[in-house]
Amino acid sequence: MSMLKGKKIVLGITGSIAAYKACYIIRGLIKAGAEVQVVITPAGKEFITPITLSALTQKPVISDFFSQRDGTWHSHVALGLWADAMLIAPCTASTLGKMAHGVADNMLITTYLSMKAPVFIAPAMDLDMYQHPTTQENLRKLQSFGNQIIEPRSGFLASGLEGKGRMEEPERIVEFLDCALSTPSPLAGKKIMITAGPTYEKIDPVRFIGNYSSGKMGFALAEECALQGAEVELVSGPVALTTNHPHIHRTDVESCEEMYQAATSIYATSDAAILCAAVADFRPETIAEEKIKREHDDLVIRLTPTHDIAAALGQMKRKDQRLIGFALETNDEQQNAQKKLERKNLDFIVLNSLRNEGTCFQSDENQISIISHKGQKDYPRKPKKEVATDIVNELASIL
């Protein structure tokens, strides 16, 4: 059952082309059992009519401090006490700035400043506006006040450009609220560290040893752990991905050495770790200070082993901690994974195989087996988001 059932939601709509998506947000909230009251800015009414919104919510839309028709006063204080949550979607750069600095010149901002319930903000704007230091500073300030930011996506924008600034899709926004307002999950109050992506081991200033990892599985795990209530410490190698949930703190690294230093430090204060990164097993013994020129027919690079992060964390693991590893194999999959489970003191290991075409590097899908001391569970091929749910549920069961 949706945790939105019976919840009272104030939906703030601002002057963005994405305002039409508010209709789908309203439908999703009401379908989940919520009661929705729309508060719209004057600019918002230029993009979508109050009649449309009122028809969907079965409530008069609030825009002004009082009704010009009969003088009825709209109490922003009463709305702040009535609501279980406030969602502002879409939220323009202008409204973000007003919220961050308390510029209470319309009904939406005064309602926000009076709100006693959690506030969720879904920005929508062009990529240059979103990337501007002023906007980013306002977002950080609003987060520091306890507001939750539903990060925009990258995609095609109304300007004709393509980049980050496109409001998150309505169904995802409704799902975000549903999870945020749910009762505490088994991971509530837990701190989970996740490693993700590849590592790059430098050969010279322009070349490196690396692998094909996209980080998609690790980032999906981070989002799922956060959705289930955990505080997530994500240690990521070089990837072209972003996180959405406000309870994910990201540390970017490049080499195995950097990931080792971050992981061993963070794990000491964590309840569990999921080691999903594809860490290079070897690095060049020496790194050339200048670009290596092609002066000979061959080049010999002597390699030396990198840190075994899983083994190091397995050695430092306390009885109250859990440690989850990954194994990507090309042959003798189960036997190799079982050896790794024992050798590195893991609680369970997630096995996938390069034999399952289209389920490993760069793919949006995966097919796994979970191997523990109790046996093996095999799962069908699924999107990585759903695979992440299976893995995190297994972790929650042993926490």
Side-chain angles (χ1 to χ4, degrees), residues 161-176:
L161 300 175
E162 190 165 349
K164 190 168 184 179
R166 180 186 178 95
M167 189 179 80
E168 179 62 273
E169 293 304 315
E171 60 272 18
R172 182 72 179 90
I173 291 173
V174 173
E175 178 186 344
F176 191 100

Side-chain angles (χ1 to χ4, degrees), residues 99-162:
M99 292 168 66
H101 295 91
V103 182
D105 64 349
N106 62 45
M107 185 66 187
L108 190 152
I109 303 299
T110 56
T111 301
Y112 161 71
L113 292 173
S114 302
M115 188 55 55
K116 303 297 184 186
V119 177
F120 303 86
I121 303 166
M125 63 199 73
D126 207 65
L127 74 163
D128 293 325
M129 295 177 72
Y130 182 74
Q131 292 172 351
H132 195 278
T134 302
T135 303
Q136 292 301 309
E137 178 61 30
N138 287 336
L139 286 167
R140 285 190 290 270
K141 181 174 285 190
L142 288 168
Q143 279 187 298
S144 73
F145 297 160
N147 302 296
Q148 296 193 45
I149 308 299
I150 304 173
E151 293 238 357
R153 289 179 172 232
S154 293
F156 186 76
L157 303 170
S159 64
L161 300 175
E162 190 165 349

